[in-house]
Amino acid sequence: MIEHPSSGLPGSANKPGKRGLKIVVVLVLLLLVGGLLLYRYVRHGGLTARQTPIALESFIAHSLVDLSVPEEAKARKNPLPDMATTVEAGKALYQKDCEICHGYDGQGKTAAGSGMFPQPAALGSAANIRRDRTDGELFYFIRNGIRNTGMPAWNLTDQEIWQLVLYVRHLPLTAPMEAPVEQTRIAGAHYVGSASCRKCHQDIYDRWIKTPMANVVRDPREHPDAITPDLSKPNPLVTFTKDDIAFVYGSIWKQRYFKKVGDDYFPFPAQWDVTHKQWKPYVAKEDWWVSDYPPDNFHRPTGPLCDGCHSVNYNIETKHVSEWNVGCEKCHGPGSEHIKNPVATTILSPSRMEYVAGNDNCIQCHSQGRPLGNPINGKYYDWPVGYEVGDKLSKYWKLEEHKLGETTFTHFADGTAHKNRMQGNDYVTSLMYARGITCYTCHDVHGTDYPAQLRKPATALCLDCHGPNSAAGPHAPTLEAHTHHKAGSAGSSCIECHMPKIAQTIGDVNVRSHTFHFVSPALTESQKVPNACNACHKDKPTQWAIDTLKTWEDRSPWRVAQ
């Protein structure tokens, strides 16, 4: 008889039992270790609202929340129309019930929210909830709340909840202090031109192509309507004809004309004042770089002085551009990889950057300054050579310096911008900038129906964050109580007081300040800084404005006197 090879081995019959015992021992040990770790976690602040939860805890919590929403609830669509009145109704509810925890912009950066665990869900522009949560999910959370969190179940009507859901989609766009994902230039990407974006972004392209950004410089042979004045009418300043013009620059306040000589462009010494419809001489006399160039326009090429901001990817070696005007890739970086694989990770977006980098994208051109590396290859440049979207502008560019008390070509005595193209210089001094508000919170350079590409009418835009008695002010029961002017009047327009037109662009045509400070008439008396009161009440002296403000009981006399 042949025996099984293992049958004679001592203890062979006990092997399965020993293996099972080992498994039990390992499981007990794991449970003990897990229990000890959990005990340690709890004992060392694991149940306090101040301690940031570990990744596993967050993953489990978010997964359970996702599982809790019925499929039929996720599929619900908002039945209310996306109209201004509906959005305003949702905004009123949000400010009353939600803003204390979620913040005016939905980012949750509030005194109440920062002390909660879990912290209030981020609803704003930097969060995924507006993209990833359906209308039905938002409705479900508002109606039912989320157990063991600070999110209550609200006793609101269906219509009120849908109004809130709609307003969440319209929260102000602000940037986080720190970007959720660091954005750097996409490896291997090259420029492809705005037309390449049209296939997938038709609506945005059709809006953008009509904007000033898309039409800063135009070839009159391609755009015969680009030249605003009638060149056939004789004028001693006009020494050129239509055929001499290679590019037309500008169309809103002023228009200049460039001649091509070799591979450079030079501005003719005459410009058209669009507002007053008249010719004026043009030669720069006070810009910082005038001492580094001859006082003759035809020795001042636009390449080092202009073209870096009026094009995409201006190459200072070849003097070639990837595209004239402010195209898509000026703000989003080279797009070839995105064309191949159209996902978020293959393209840059200022809206996903932290507030400094996001704003730098606009400040690179909307500021007065000079490159840190000047001169570059023997030439002085007036734009941030080397800067690319997503990088730190401060590595390439320094803003024009100013000494308080001095009125200069660029600044008033208090440091406010004295001339155009200084929105960035103003803005970085503002509290708005410090709070993560971005240029694109208010402006949509893809194109809108409102002046300056605002996202909505100016006062409505301001009141999104600054409603009467809201946390951000004004601290008054109504807008009229704050402004002391009738509703709908210029005096009750937020921008007329907080963004007066005091920065010169051509002659007496000015653009708006972007400090958002209220310039007291007393500052006009002492430092000659224009104020908003006398900008409207031109027939009144400055002292009248000072005396009038002192009669407003809700105003501090100390601020009026400054």
Side-chain angles (χ1 to χ4, degrees):
M1 177 182 291
I2 300 175
E3 295 183 353
H4 192 279
S6 64
S7 62
L9 295 176
S12 61
N14 295 325
K15 273 194 172 183
K18 285 187 175 182
R19 187 179 298 114
L21 180 61
K22 287 180 180 179
I23 292 173
V24 171
V25 171
V26 170
L27 289 175
V28 170
L29 288 173
L30 287 174
L31 286 172
L32 284 172
V33 171
L36 286 171
L37 290 173
L38 179 61
Y39 175 79
R40 179 179 175 82
Y41 179 62
V42 171
R43 289 289 294 172
H44 288 80
L47 295 184
T48 68
R50 293 189 181 278
Q51 183 165 302
T52 302
I54 60 175
L56 178 62
E57 183 181 350
S58 296
F59 173 77
I60 293 173
H62 286 115
S63 298
L64 290 174
V65 169
D66 291 340
L67 287 171
S68 71
V69 186
E71 290 301 320
E72 59 271 19
K74 293 181 181 180
R76 296 186 70 182
K77 303 290 185 183
N78 195 335
L80 301 182
D82 190 348
M83 297 171 55
T85 52
T86 314
V87 173
E88 283 299 308
K91 173 184 168 184
L93 288 166
Y94 183 89
Q95 290 179 334
K96 172 176 170 288
D97 296 329
C98 312
E99 186 173 306
I100 189 171
C101 291
H102 289 283
Y104 70 92
D105 59 353
Q107 302 290 13
K109 304 298 182 183
T110 64
S114 61
M116 285 185 182
F117 174 76
Q119 290 193 347
L123 308 173
S125 56
N128 291 329
I129 194 164
R130 290 205 294 191
R131 297 190 301 270
D132 298 343
R133 294 294 187 187
T134 66
D135 288 348
E137 285 178 291
L138 295 179
F139 183 97
Y140 184 86
F141 292 140
I142 297 170
R143 164 58 54 80
N144 300 294
I146 303 176
R147 188 181 297 180
N148 297 323
T149 75
M151 179 63 193
W154 291 97
N155 294 319
L156 300 172
T157 65
D158 282 7
Q159 177 166 316
E160 288 173 326
I161 295 177
W162 285 125
Q163 288 170 347
L164 271 173
V165 170
L166 184 61
Y167 182 66
V168 167
R169 310 294 188 195
H170 287 267
L171 282 165
L173 297 170
T174 60
M177 295 295 109
E178 295 181 1
V181 179
E182 184 180 359
Q183 295 202 62
T184 57
R185 183 162 180 155
I186 309 301
H190 60 269
Y191 292 92
V192 293
S194 298
S196 301
C197 308
R198 186 175 189 172
K199 181 179 178 181
C200 296
H201 302 282
Q202 183 73 50
D203 174 64
I204 292 176
Y205 183 91
D206 288 347
R207 287 190 286 124
W208 164 79
I209 199 66
K210 301 173 186 175
T211 67
M213 290 286 192
N215 296 280
V216 177
V217 290
R218 287 181 287 176
D219 184 336
R221 281 157 287 280
E222 296 178 10
H223 303 276
D225 60 334
I227 301 174
T228 302
D230 184 354
L231 294 179
S232 66
K233 294 182 178 179
N235 186 287
L237 291 173
V238 182
T239 59
F240 53 91
T241 67
K242 179 179 178 180
D243 293 336
D244 295 321
I245 301 172
F247 276 135
V248 177
Y249 159 79
S251 62
I252 300 176
W253 300 296
K254 53 185 175 264
Q255 193 168 79
R256 296 172 185 158
Y257 310 92
F258 299 166
K259 179 178 182 178
K260 189 172 186 180
V261 180
D263 53 4
D264 280 316
Y265 296 89
F266 298 87
F268 285 103
Q271 61 183 335
W272 179 253
D273 181 336
V274 175
T275 304
H276 298 100
K277 295 181 172 56
Q278 62 183 28
W279 287 101
K280 290 184 176 179
Y282 170 64
V283 59
K285 296 179 180 178
E286 297 182 85
D287 287 278
W288 67 263
W289 48 262
V290 295
S291 60
D292 300 304
Y293 285 88
D296 176 359
N297 281 12
F298 285 97
H299 288 90
R300 295 175 170 183
T302 63
L305 300 176
C306 310
D307 295 344
C309 284
H310 301 156
S311 67
V312 177
N313 191 34
Y314 181 91
N315 187 311
I316 64 172
E317 302 292 341
T318 65
K319 302 178 183 178
H320 291 161
V321 302
S322 296
E323 179 180 2
W324 285 108
N325 295 303
V326 184
C328 306
E329 292 165 301
K330 186 73 173 179
C331 302
H332 294 282
S336 61
E337 295 304 304
H338 190 62
I339 297 295
K340 297 176 186 175
N341 183 22
V343 296
T345 54
T346 58
I347 197 71
L348 301 179
S349 177
S351 65
R352 299 199 303 271
M353 298 174 186
E354 46 83 25
Y355 81 108
V356 174
N359 281 310
D360 278 353
N361 203 37
C362 303
I363 294 172
Q364 62 168 312
C365 292
H366 289 272
S367 65
Q368 288 287 332
R370 58 191 77 183
L372 297 179
N374 263 344
I376 302 169
N377 296 341
K379 293 181 180 178
Y380 286 85
Y381 285 77
D382 195 26
W383 50 272
V385 177
Y387 169 77
E388 294 177 348
V389 58
D391 206 344
K392 284 191 176 296
L393 182 60
S394 59
K395 290 164 54 179
Y396 307 91
W397 187 245
K398 65 176 180 178
L399 297 179
E400 201 65 33
E401 296 177 353
H402 173 256
K403 183 178 179 181
L404 287 175
E406 292 184 356
T407 298
T408 66
F409 174 61
T410 54
H411 293 82
F412 286 108
D414 69 336
T416 304
H418 187 276
K419 70 181 296 292
N420 187 27
R421 211 194 87 182
M422 290 189 63
Q423 292 86 356
N425 303 67
D426 269 355
Y427 192 54
V428 296
T429 69
S430 73
L431 188 60
M432 302 271 279
Y433 176 82
R435 293 291 184 267
I437 309 301
T438 64
C439 304
Y440 46 85
T441 298
C442 301
H443 302 273
D444 181 0
V445 295
H446 299 126
T448 75
D449 294 329
Y450 305 107
Q453 309 306 314
L454 291 177
R455 293 184 178 276
K456 59 177 68 174
T459 295
L461 191 64
C462 299
L463 292 178
D464 274 349
C465 305
H466 297 281
N469 278 335
S470 67
H475 302 298
T478 64
L479 183 62
E480 294 76 19
H482 172 68
T483 65
H484 293 257
H485 287 75
K486 292 181 180 179
S489 69
S492 266
S493 170
C494 307
I495 60 174
E496 294 303 331
C497 287
H498 292 277
M499 299 183 69
K501 290 184 176 181
I502 62 175
Q504 184 185 46
T505 181
I506 180 172
D508 60 356
V509 180
N510 296 333
V511 298
R512 295 193 180 279
S513 166
H514 276 68
T515 65
F516 303 97
H517 302 154
F518 173 72
V519 179
S520 169
L523 201 58
T524 305
E525 285 284 287
S526 63
Q527 300 291 335
K528 309 304 178 188
V529 183
N531 71 83
C533 302
N534 292 112
C536 283
H537 299 281
K538 299 180 187 297
D539 60 326
K540 304 287 187 181
T542 306
Q543 190 59 49
W544 167 86
I546 296 172
D547 294 339
T548 300
L549 284 176
K550 287 182 178 179
T551 67
W552 294 3
E553 293 296 331
D554 61 330
R555 289 296 186 278
S556 165
W558 315 117
R559 292 180 66 87
V560 171
Q562 289 178 349

mmCIF file with all atom_site columns, all heavy atoms in Angstrom, residues 45 55 63 78 132 169 291 313 344 348 357 377 410 465-466 469 483 496 558:
data_model
loop_
_atom_site.group_PDB
_atom_site.id
_atom_site.type_symbol
_atom_site.label_atom_id
_atom_site.label_alt_id
_atom_site.label_comp_id
_atom_site.label_asym_id
_atom_site.label_entity_id
_atom_site.label_seq_id
_atom_site.pdbx_PDB_ins_code
_atom_site.Cartn_x
_atom_site.Cartn_y
_atom_site.Cartn_z
_atom_site.occupancy
_atom_site.B_iso_or_equiv
_atom_site.pdbx_formal_charge
_atom_site.auth_seq_id
_atom_site.auth_comp_id
_atom_site.auth_asym_id
_atom_site.auth_atom_id
_atom_site.pdbx_PDB_model_num
ATOM 1   N N   . GLY A 1 45  ? -7.538  65.139  20.290  1.00 0.00 ? 45  GLY A N   1
ATOM 2   C CA  . GLY A 1 45  ? -8.298  66.173  19.571  1.00 0.00 ? 45  GLY A CA  1
ATOM 3   C C   . GLY A 1 45  ? -9.030  65.701  18.343  1.00 0.00 ? 45  GLY A C   1
ATOM 4   O O   . GLY A 1 45  ? -9.510  66.518  17.564  1.00 0.00 ? 45  GLY A O   1
ATOM 5   N N   . ALA A 1 55  ? -7.149  62.164  6.115   1.00 0.00 ? 55  ALA A N   1
ATOM 6   C CA  . ALA A 1 55  ? -7.700  61.937  4.771   1.00 0.00 ? 55  ALA A CA  1
ATOM 7   C C   . ALA A 1 55  ? -8.729  60.805  4.770   1.00 0.00 ? 55  ALA A C   1
ATOM 8   O O   . ALA A 1 55  ? -9.754  60.879  4.084   1.00 0.00 ? 55  ALA A O   1
ATOM 9   C CB  . ALA A 1 55  ? -6.571  61.637  3.799   1.00 0.00 ? 55  ALA A CB  1
ATOM 10  N N   . SER A 1 63  ? -17.910 60.114  1.105   1.00 0.00 ? 63  SER A N   1
ATOM 11  C CA  . SER A 1 63  ? -18.513 58.962  0.418   1.00 0.00 ? 63  SER A CA  1
ATOM 12  C C   . SER A 1 63  ? -19.895 58.669  0.961   1.00 0.00 ? 63  SER A C   1
ATOM 13  O O   . SER A 1 63  ? -20.827 58.362  0.205   1.00 0.00 ? 63  SER A O   1
ATOM 14  C CB  . SER A 1 63  ? -17.607 57.729  0.566   1.00 0.00 ? 63  SER A CB  1
ATOM 15  O OG  . SER A 1 63  ? -16.350 57.963  -0.028  1.00 0.00 ? 63  SER A OG  1
ATOM 16  N N   . ASN A 1 78  ? -33.818 72.267  -11.916 1.00 0.00 ? 78  ASN A N   1
ATOM 17  C CA  . ASN A 1 78  ? -34.412 73.487  -11.381 1.00 0.00 ? 78  ASN A CA  1
ATOM 18  C C   . ASN A 1 78  ? -35.496 73.985  -12.334 1.00 0.00 ? 78  ASN A C   1
ATOM 19  O O   . ASN A 1 78  ? -35.209 74.301  -13.496 1.00 0.00 ? 78  ASN A O   1
ATOM 20  C CB  . ASN A 1 78  ? -33.340 74.561  -11.204 1.00 0.00 ? 78  ASN A CB  1
ATOM 21  C CG  . ASN A 1 78  ? -33.820 75.706  -10.316 1.00 0.00 ? 78  ASN A CG  1
ATOM 22  O OD1 . ASN A 1 78  ? -35.000 75.970  -10.198 1.00 0.00 ? 78  ASN A OD1 1
ATOM 23  N ND2 . ASN A 1 78  ? -32.860 76.386  -9.695  1.00 0.00 ? 78  ASN A ND2 1
ATOM 24  N N   . ASP A 1 132 ? -19.977 69.893  -9.974  1.00 0.00 ? 132 ASP A N   1
ATOM 25  C CA  . ASP A 1 132 ? -20.184 68.458  -9.783  1.00 0.00 ? 132 ASP A CA  1
ATOM 26  C C   . ASP A 1 132 ? -21.518 68.090  -9.149  1.00 0.00 ? 132 ASP A C   1
ATOM 27  O O   . ASP A 1 132 ? -21.976 66.962  -9.285  1.00 0.00 ? 132 ASP A O   1
ATOM 28  C CB  . ASP A 1 132 ? -19.052 67.878  -8.915  1.00 0.00 ? 132 ASP A CB  1
ATOM 29  C CG  . ASP A 1 132 ? -17.690 68.037  -9.575  1.00 0.00 ? 132 ASP A CG  1
ATOM 30  O OD1 . ASP A 1 132 ? -17.668 68.284  -10.790 1.00 0.00 ? 132 ASP A OD1 1
ATOM 31  O OD2 . ASP A 1 132 ? -16.676 67.936  -8.873  1.00 0.00 ? 132 ASP A OD2 1
ATOM 32  N N   . ARG A 1 169 ? -25.516 79.135  -8.177  1.00 0.00 ? 169 ARG A N   1
ATOM 33  C CA  . ARG A 1 169 ? -24.860 79.150  -9.490  1.00 0.00 ? 169 ARG A CA  1
ATOM 34  C C   . ARG A 1 169 ? -24.384 80.557  -9.873  1.00 0.00 ? 169 ARG A C   1
ATOM 35  O O   . ARG A 1 169 ? -23.630 80.712  -10.838 1.00 0.00 ? 169 ARG A O   1
ATOM 36  C CB  . ARG A 1 169 ? -25.823 78.649  -10.576 1.00 0.00 ? 169 ARG A CB  1
ATOM 37  C CG  . ARG A 1 169 ? -26.527 77.328  -10.288 1.00 0.00 ? 169 ARG A CG  1
ATOM 38  C CD  . ARG A 1 169 ? -25.564 76.179  -10.231 1.00 0.00 ? 169 ARG A CD  1
ATOM 39  N NE  . ARG A 1 169 ? -26.257 74.889  -10.137 1.00 0.00 ? 169 ARG A NE  1
ATOM 40  C CZ  . ARG A 1 169 ? -25.680 73.752  -9.787  1.00 0.00 ? 169 ARG A CZ  1
ATOM 41  N NH1 . ARG A 1 169 ? -24.396 73.730  -9.497  1.00 0.00 ? 169 ARG A NH1 1
ATOM 42  N NH2 . ARG A 1 169 ? -26.371 72.630  -9.718  1.00 0.00 ? 169 ARG A NH2 1
ATOM 43  N N   . SER A 1 291 ? 13.659  108.845 -21.835 1.00 0.00 ? 291 SER A N   1
ATOM 44  C CA  . SER A 1 291 ? 15.077  109.231 -21.839 1.00 0.00 ? 291 SER A CA  1
ATOM 45  C C   . SER A 1 291 ? 15.955  108.173 -22.501 1.00 0.00 ? 291 SER A C   1
ATOM 46  O O   . SER A 1 291 ? 17.131  108.446 -22.811 1.00 0.00 ? 291 SER A O   1
ATOM 47  C CB  . SER A 1 291 ? 15.558  109.469 -20.404 1.00 0.00 ? 291 SER A CB  1
ATOM 48  O OG  . SER A 1 291 ? 15.422  108.286 -19.625 1.00 0.00 ? 291 SER A OG  1
ATOM 49  N N   . ASN A 1 313 ? 2.353   85.846  -27.198 1.00 0.00 ? 313 ASN A N   1
ATOM 50  C CA  . ASN A 1 313 ? 3.665   85.229  -27.418 1.00 0.00 ? 313 ASN A CA  1
ATOM 51  C C   . ASN A 1 313 ? 4.555   86.055  -28.347 1.00 0.00 ? 313 ASN A C   1
ATOM 52  O O   . ASN A 1 313 ? 5.103   85.543  -29.329 1.00 0.00 ? 313 ASN A O   1
ATOM 53  C CB  . ASN A 1 313 ? 3.487   83.802  -27.971 1.00 0.00 ? 313 ASN A CB  1
ATOM 54  C CG  . ASN A 1 313 ? 4.776   83.007  -27.983 1.00 0.00 ? 313 ASN A CG  1
ATOM 55  O OD1 . ASN A 1 313 ? 5.618   83.153  -27.110 1.00 0.00 ? 313 ASN A OD1 1
ATOM 56  N ND2 . ASN A 1 313 ? 4.934   82.170  -29.000 1.00 0.00 ? 313 ASN A ND2 1
ATOM 57  N N   . ALA A 1 344 ? -9.501  69.526  -18.293 1.00 0.00 ? 344 ALA A N   1
ATOM 58  C CA  . ALA A 1 344 ? -9.057  70.678  -17.506 1.00 0.00 ? 344 ALA A CA  1
ATOM 59  C C   . ALA A 1 344 ? -7.559  70.666  -17.233 1.00 0.00 ? 344 ALA A C   1
ATOM 60  O O   . ALA A 1 344 ? -6.929  71.725  -17.136 1.00 0.00 ? 344 ALA A O   1
ATOM 61  C CB  . ALA A 1 344 ? -9.828  70.728  -16.190 1.00 0.00 ? 344 ALA A CB  1
ATOM 62  N N   . LEU A 1 348 ? -4.428  75.917  -18.819 1.00 0.00 ? 348 LEU A N   1
ATOM 63  C CA  . LEU A 1 348 ? -4.411  76.743  -17.617 1.00 0.00 ? 348 LEU A CA  1
ATOM 64  C C   . LEU A 1 348 ? -5.664  77.597  -17.546 1.00 0.00 ? 348 LEU A C   1
ATOM 65  O O   . LEU A 1 348 ? -6.237  77.952  -18.579 1.00 0.00 ? 348 LEU A O   1
ATOM 66  C CB  . LEU A 1 348 ? -3.176  77.639  -17.621 1.00 0.00 ? 348 LEU A CB  1
ATOM 67  C CG  . LEU A 1 348 ? -1.818  76.936  -17.690 1.00 0.00 ? 348 LEU A CG  1
ATOM 68  C CD1 . LEU A 1 348 ? -0.695  77.962  -17.713 1.00 0.00 ? 348 LEU A CD1 1
ATOM 69  C CD2 . LEU A 1 348 ? -1.651  75.991  -16.525 1.00 0.00 ? 348 LEU A CD2 1
ATOM 70  N N   . ALA A 1 357 ? -1.747  84.867  -8.503  1.00 0.00 ? 357 ALA A N   1
ATOM 71  C CA  . ALA A 1 357 ? -1.494  84.432  -9.882  1.00 0.00 ? 357 ALA A CA  1
ATOM 72  C C   . ALA A 1 357 ? -2.680  84.743  -10.786 1.00 0.00 ? 357 ALA A C   1
ATOM 73  O O   . ALA A 1 357 ? -2.509  85.145  -11.939 1.00 0.00 ? 357 ALA A O   1
ATOM 74  C CB  . ALA A 1 357 ? -1.181  82.941  -9.910  1.00 0.00 ? 357 ALA A CB  1
ATOM 75  N N   . ASN A 1 377 ? 18.874  92.873  -24.067 1.00 0.00 ? 377 ASN A N   1
ATOM 76  C CA  . ASN A 1 377 ? 19.531  92.892  -25.378 1.00 0.00 ? 377 ASN A CA  1
ATOM 77  C C   . ASN A 1 377 ? 19.721  94.327  -25.885 1.00 0.00 ? 377 ASN A C   1
ATOM 78  O O   . ASN A 1 377 ? 19.551  94.619  -27.069 1.00 0.00 ? 377 ASN A O   1
ATOM 79  C CB  . ASN A 1 377 ? 18.708  92.084  -26.409 1.00 0.00 ? 377 ASN A CB  1
ATOM 80  C CG  . ASN A 1 377 ? 18.642  90.614  -26.044 1.00 0.00 ? 377 ASN A CG  1
ATOM 81  O OD1 . ASN A 1 377 ? 19.452  90.108  -25.269 1.00 0.00 ? 377 ASN A OD1 1
ATOM 82  N ND2 . ASN A 1 377 ? 17.658  89.914  -26.599 1.00 0.00 ? 377 ASN A ND2 1
ATOM 83  N N   . THR A 1 410 ? 2.336   109.407 -13.056 1.00 0.00 ? 410 THR A N   1
ATOM 84  C CA  . THR A 1 410 ? 1.604   108.153 -12.850 1.00 0.00 ? 410 THR A CA  1
ATOM 85  C C   . THR A 1 410 ? 0.687   108.166 -11.634 1.00 0.00 ? 410 THR A C   1
ATOM 86  O O   . THR A 1 410 ? -0.318  107.459 -11.608 1.00 0.00 ? 410 THR A O   1
ATOM 87  C CB  . THR A 1 410 ? 2.576   106.968 -12.704 1.00 0.00 ? 410 THR A CB  1
ATOM 88  O OG1 . THR A 1 410 ? 3.529   107.264 -11.659 1.00 0.00 ? 410 THR A OG1 1
ATOM 89  C CG2 . THR A 1 410 ? 3.320   106.713 -14.002 1.00 0.00 ? 410 THR A CG2 1
ATOM 90  N N   . CYS A 1 465 ? -22.081 91.517  -3.049  1.00 0.00 ? 465 CYS A N   1
ATOM 91  C CA  . CYS A 1 465 ? -21.267 91.317  -1.844  1.00 0.00 ? 465 CYS A CA  1
ATOM 92  C C   . CYS A 1 465 ? -21.511 92.382  -0.788  1.00 0.00 ? 465 CYS A C   1
ATOM 93  O O   . CYS A 1 465 ? -21.244 92.156  0.389   1.00 0.00 ? 465 CYS A O   1
ATOM 94  C CB  . CYS A 1 465 ? -19.785 91.322  -2.208  1.00 0.00 ? 465 CYS A CB  1
ATOM 95  S SG  . CYS A 1 465 ? -19.325 90.125  -3.470  1.00 0.00 ? 465 CYS A SG  1
ATOM 96  N N   . HIS A 1 466 ? -22.017 93.536  -1.216  1.00 0.00 ? 466 HIS A N   1
ATOM 97  C CA  . HIS A 1 466 ? -22.124 94.674  -0.306  1.00 0.00 ? 466 HIS A CA  1
ATOM 98  C C   . HIS A 1 466 ? -23.570 95.131  -0.137  1.00 0.00 ? 466 HIS A C   1
ATOM 99  O O   . HIS A 1 466 ? -23.853 96.318  -0.225  1.00 0.00 ? 466 HIS A O   1
ATOM 100 C CB  . HIS A 1 466 ? -21.278 95.836  -0.821  1.00 0.00 ? 466 HIS A CB  1
ATOM 101 C CG  . HIS A 1 466 ? -19.818 95.545  -0.878  1.00 0.00 ? 466 HIS A CG  1
ATOM 102 N ND1 . HIS A 1 466 ? -19.009 95.570  0.230   1.00 0.00 ? 466 HIS A ND1 1
ATOM 103 C CD2 . HIS A 1 466 ? -19.013 95.186  -1.916  1.00 0.00 ? 466 HIS A CD2 1
ATOM 104 C CE1 . HIS A 1 466 ? -17.770 95.267  -0.118  1.00 0.00 ? 466 HIS A CE1 1
ATOM 105 N NE2 . HIS A 1 466 ? -17.740 95.025  -1.413  1.00 0.00 ? 466 HIS A NE2 1
ATOM 106 N N   . ASN A 1 469 ? -26.464 96.424  5.269   1.00 0.00 ? 469 ASN A N   1
ATOM 107 C CA  . ASN A 1 469 ? -26.342 95.685  6.535   1.00 0.00 ? 469 ASN A CA  1
ATOM 108 C C   . ASN A 1 469 ? -25.747 94.288  6.378   1.00 0.00 ? 469 ASN A C   1
ATOM 109 O O   . ASN A 1 469 ? -25.888 93.450  7.264   1.00 0.00 ? 469 ASN A O   1
ATOM 110 C CB  . ASN A 1 469 ? -27.699 95.588  7.245   1.00 0.00 ? 469 ASN A CB  1
ATOM 111 C CG  . ASN A 1 469 ? -28.007 96.862  8.025   1.00 0.00 ? 469 ASN A CG  1
ATOM 112 O OD1 . ASN A 1 469 ? -27.096 97.591  8.421   1.00 0.00 ? 469 ASN A OD1 1
ATOM 113 N ND2 . ASN A 1 469 ? -29.282 97.144  8.220   1.00 0.00 ? 469 ASN A ND2 1
ATOM 114 N N   . THR A 1 483 ? -26.027 106.312 0.807   1.00 0.00 ? 483 THR A N   1
ATOM 115 C CA  . THR A 1 483 ? -25.531 107.282 -0.183  1.00 0.00 ? 483 THR A CA  1
ATOM 116 C C   . THR A 1 483 ? -26.066 108.694 0.017   1.00 0.00 ? 483 THR A C   1
ATOM 117 O O   . THR A 1 483 ? -25.474 109.652 -0.492  1.00 0.00 ? 483 THR A O   1
ATOM 118 C CB  . THR A 1 483 ? -25.903 106.841 -1.603  1.00 0.00 ? 483 THR A CB  1
ATOM 119 O OG1 . THR A 1 483 ? -27.335 106.855 -1.747  1.00 0.00 ? 483 THR A OG1 1
ATOM 120 C CG2 . THR A 1 483 ? -25.383 105.431 -1.899  1.00 0.00 ? 483 THR A CG2 1
ATOM 121 N N   . GLU A 1 496 ? -19.753 105.470 -8.848  1.00 0.00 ? 496 GLU A N   1
ATOM 122 C CA  . GLU A 1 496 ? -19.541 106.918 -8.959  1.00 0.00 ? 496 GLU A CA  1
ATOM 123 C C   . GLU A 1 496 ? -18.805 107.457 -7.733  1.00 0.00 ? 496 GLU A C   1
ATOM 124 O O   . GLU A 1 496 ? -18.042 108.418 -7.825  1.00 0.00 ? 496 GLU A O   1
ATOM 125 C CB  . GLU A 1 496 ? -20.872 107.642 -9.144  1.00 0.00 ? 496 GLU A CB  1
ATOM 126 C CG  . GLU A 1 496 ? -21.581 107.342 -10.450 1.00 0.00 ? 496 GLU A CG  1
ATOM 127 C CD  . GLU A 1 496 ? -20.733 107.665 -11.680 1.00 0.00 ? 496 GLU A CD  1
ATOM 128 O OE1 . GLU A 1 496 ? -19.882 108.580 -11.605 1.00 0.00 ? 496 GLU A OE1 1
ATOM 129 O OE2 . GLU A 1 496 ? -20.911 106.996 -12.707 1.00 0.00 ? 496 GLU A OE2 1
ATOM 130 N N   . TRP A 1 558 ? -14.162 112.275 11.632  1.00 0.00 ? 558 TRP A N   1
ATOM 131 C CA  . TRP A 1 558 ? -12.726 112.108 11.474  1.00 0.00 ? 558 TRP A CA  1
ATOM 132 C C   . TRP A 1 558 ? -12.385 111.699 10.043  1.00 0.00 ? 558 TRP A C   1
ATOM 133 O O   . TRP A 1 558 ? -11.371 112.137 9.491   1.00 0.00 ? 558 TRP A O   1
ATOM 134 C CB  . TRP A 1 558 ? -12.203 111.047 12.449  1.00 0.00 ? 558 TRP A CB  1
ATOM 135 C CG  . TRP A 1 558 ? -12.765 111.203 13.830  1.00 0.00 ? 558 TRP A CG  1
ATOM 136 C CD1 . TRP A 1 558 ? -13.550 110.316 14.497  1.00 0.00 ? 558 TRP A CD1 1
ATOM 137 C CD2 . TRP A 1 558 ? -12.621 112.334 14.699  1.00 0.00 ? 558 TRP A CD2 1
ATOM 138 N NE1 . TRP A 1 558 ? -13.900 110.802 15.728  1.00 0.00 ? 558 TRP A NE1 1
ATOM 139 C CE2 . TRP A 1 558 ? -13.334 112.047 15.884  1.00 0.00 ? 558 TRP A CE2 1
ATOM 140 C CE3 . TRP A 1 558 ? -11.964 113.559 14.598  1.00 0.00 ? 558 TRP A CE3 1
ATOM 141 C CZ2 . TRP A 1 558 ? -13.409 112.929 16.953  1.00 0.00 ? 558 TRP A CZ2 1
ATOM 142 C CZ3 . TRP A 1 558 ? -12.032 114.449 15.667  1.00 0.00 ? 558 TRP A CZ3 1
ATOM 143 C CH2 . TRP A 1 558 ? -12.733 114.131 16.823  1.00 0.00 ? 558 TRP A CH2 1
#
